[in-house]
Amino acid sequence: MEALDRRIVQLLAGDGRMSYTDLGRSTGLSTSAVHQRVRRLEERGVIRGYRAVVDYEEARIPVTALISITPFDPAAPDDVPDRLRHIPAIDSCFSVAGEESYVLKVRVSGPGELEDLLAAVRAAANVTTRTTVVLSTPWEDRSPLSSAPEETAELAPTAADVTSTDRVP
């Protein structure tokens, strides 16, 4: 991915509602050039969607936990994600290397709901669990692109991005 596209993705990862005009100001591109690039990034699947950032305390699901799961029978079909997909408290399902097969990130209202969720996960997927309760979250959902060093020398618009009203820096 070239530097201008990376910068656009960085900016949108930080604020998915950023206007094309503001993206243009930050990248030195015209609004129409930014719009075209964003559309191409969406078509290529680099940008897969936009979402709201939820305050889970306000949504009354303040407890986050990580549940490591291991199947009782390692020879059984690996269909755990399909068996658990129907459980809305599961935020993410990660296939991992190591002793466990998957790690689930879950969000619940309290310890009682977590206990019920663990029972549901064990029953639905025929697995053992090991749970870590998150005490605090200093940061989360940080895009690796947002910490990439800016390549300002490479951010100059290409001829395809310049319209008659643009001024190339």
Side-chain angles (χ1 to χ4, degrees), residues 18-71:
M18 189 175 226
S19 72
Y20 294 125
T21 303
D22 289 339
L23 285 168
R25 281 190 201 115
S26 296
T27 59
L29 297 175
S30 70
T31 301
S32 62
V34 167
H35 184 263
Q36 289 174 352
R37 280 181 176 262
V38 170
R39 189 179 69 239
R40 283 194 305 256
L41 289 165
E42 291 169 344
E43 289 170 354
R44 287 177 31 215
V46 175
I47 297 174
R48 295 187 309 169
Y50 303 87
R51 65 183 177 94
V53 177
V54 176
D55 181 328
Y56 294 104
E57 293 279 337
E58 290 296 319
R60 296 198 171 108
I61 48 173
V63 177
T64 302
L66 303 173
I67 304 171
S68 299
I69 59 176
T70 306

Side-chain angles (χ1 to χ4, degrees), residues 4-150:
L4 274 170
D5 287 344
R6 182 175 297 278
R7 181 65 179 145
I8 289 168
V9 171
Q10 286 175 329
L11 292 165
L12 288 174
D15 179 3
R17 295 182 61 159
M18 189 175 226
S19 72
Y20 294 125
T21 303
D22 289 339
L23 285 168
R25 281 190 201 115
S26 296
T27 59
L29 297 175
S30 70
T31 301
S32 62
V34 167
H35 184 263
Q36 289 174 352
R37 280 181 176 262
V38 170
R39 189 179 69 239
R40 283 194 305 256
L41 289 165
E42 291 169 344
E43 289 170 354
R44 287 177 31 215
V46 175
I47 297 174
R48 295 187 309 169
Y50 303 87
R51 65 183 177 94
V53 177
V54 176
D55 181 328
Y56 294 104
E57 293 279 337
E58 290 296 319
R60 296 198 171 108
I61 48 173
V63 177
T64 302
L66 303 173
I67 304 171
S68 299
I69 59 176
T70 306
F72 282 125
D73 180 6
D78 186 7
D79 59 355
V80 169
D82 293 331
R83 290 175 174 241
L84 299 176
R85 192 174 311 280
H86 70 281
I87 302 174
I90 299 174
D91 180 84
S92 303
C93 176
F94 305 101
S95 175
V96 297
E99 289 184 38
E100 291 88 8
S101 298
Y102 294 92
V103 174
L104 309 174
K105 182 169 102 175
V106 303
R107 297 188 187 276
V108 294
S109 62
E113 189 178 340
L114 179 58
E115 186 174 25
D116 292 344
L117 174 63
L118 289 168
V121 165
R122 289 180 192 128
N126 199 29
V127 295
T128 61
T129 61
R130 186 173 54 89
T131 304
T132 302
V133 175
V134 174
L135 299 177
S136 69
T137 307
W139 46 264
E140 178 177 38
D141 293 331
R142 182 176 70 174
S143 168
L145 293 173
S146 64
S147 61
E150 285 192 34

